[in-house]
Amino acid sequence: IGLSCVILPSVRVGRDAMIGAGSVVTRDVPAGHLVYGRPARVVRRLSAAEIERYRRAIPGLATEEGA
């Protein structure tokens, strides 16, 4: 979740989703997708390789198995 995002109440963010900085999320975000904008829109699905690369870059996520 990028800096200065606004996620409205009752909005669900799926696992491994990415939200761009400054986005205003008004709808549910599907798992494994990139969203950004005001209002946030789904831009594309993230590949398995991208998700793995980002998980390794964030301490504590790479070791999270099955959670």
Side-chain angles (χ1 to χ4, degrees), residues 5-13 19 23-28 39-40:
C5 288
V6 176
I7 301 174
L8 296 183
S10 76
V11 170
R12 297 178 133 200
V13 178
I19 301 172
S23 296
V24 177
V25 184
T26 59
R27 296 181 180 173
D28 290 351

Side-chain angles (χ1 to χ4, degrees), residues 6-58:
V6 176
I7 301 174
L8 296 183
S10 76
V11 170
R12 297 178 133 200
V13 178
R15 183 175 178 85
D16 296 323
M18 295 183 72
I19 301 172
S23 296
V24 177
V25 184
T26 59
R27 296 181 180 173
D28 290 351
V29 179
H33 282 74
L34 169 66
V35 300
Y36 58 79
R38 293 181 180 203
R41 303 277 185 216
V42 174
V43 177
R44 65 183 175 91
R45 182 175 182 89
L46 298 169
S47 71
E50 287 175 307
I51 291 170
E52 186 60 31
R53 184 173 64 236
Y54 294 126
R55 281 180 160 235
R56 280 191 235 142
I58 300 172

